[in-house]
């Protein structure tokens, strides 16, 4: 059992960019890379088996896939997950550290992400007091009805759901933890899909 479980097959590999210093490092440790942002990455777990997991969520809080993180979440985790799994880049990526994910992604694959907007969800916006207002989903909502219709906290809701198994997983070995997480995600997706179906036919 590997630590990568995505419903989307890999369509390309993550390239190495030798002219970019610290490229493909497991964490973002260089302070100058953070720019003026005063928000740092949060880890999902601190046990010795893995740093946690990175989950891709759709706007309905359905899990598109996940992979384990060896140390702590970094921009490379999100960048690589999107770049290697999506034939075409999403039009919008909502992420709590989008202000730094955008330049990280564009400097590596400008053509691929040329039409992608990176937005900070409403829940985490207050932590970005020094970041540009153009990164805030709440500001984009004022003129884009498509963003207004999106639940920008869908990922946060999903991540809170994962908290239900955090304690159980902390007592498992690596393979069991990954398998247990996958089963939980499968059940989670089924429950969310059934709830959406009931709402549509209500």
């Amino acid at each position: 059992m590997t630590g990568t479980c995505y419903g989307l097959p890999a369509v390309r590999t993550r390239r190495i960019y030798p002219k970019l210093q610290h490229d493909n490092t497991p964490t973002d440790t260089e302070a100058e890379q953070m720019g003026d942002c005063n928000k740092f990455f949060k880890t999902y777990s601190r046990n010795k088996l893995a740093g946690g997991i990175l989950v891709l969520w759709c706007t309905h809080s359905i899990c598109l896939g996940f992979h384990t993180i060896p140390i702590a979440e970094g921009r490379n985790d999100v960048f690589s997950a999107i770049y290697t799994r999506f034939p075409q880049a999403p039009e919008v990526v909502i992420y709590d550290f989008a202000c730094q994910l955008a330049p990280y992604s564009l400097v590596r694959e400008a053509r691929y992400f040329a039409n992608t907007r990176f937005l900070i969800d409403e829940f985490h916006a207050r932590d970005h007091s020094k970041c540009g207002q153009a990164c805030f989903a709440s500001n984009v909502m004022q003129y884009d009805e498509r963003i207004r219709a999106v639940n920008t906290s869908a990922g946060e809701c999903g991540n809170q759901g994962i908290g239900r198994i955090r304690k159980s997983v902390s007592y498992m070995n690596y393979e069991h933890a990954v398998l247990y997480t996958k089963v939980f995600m499968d059940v989670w997706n089924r429950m969310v899909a059934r709830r959406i179906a009931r709402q549509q036919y209500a």
Side-chain angles (χ1 to χ4, degrees), residues 74-91:
R75 292 170 293 180
N76 179 54
D77 290 293
V78 185
F79 166 80
S80 297
I82 295 174
Y83 181 69
T84 60
R85 301 287 167 173
F86 288 81
Q88 182 176 347
E91 292 185 13

Side-chain angles (χ1 to χ4, degrees), residues 45 47 49 165-172 177:
S45 170
N47 63 53
L49 299 176
I165 64 172
R166 181 177 298 176
K167 184 174 182 179
S168 299
V169 167
S170 67
Y171 292 101
M172 301 178 187

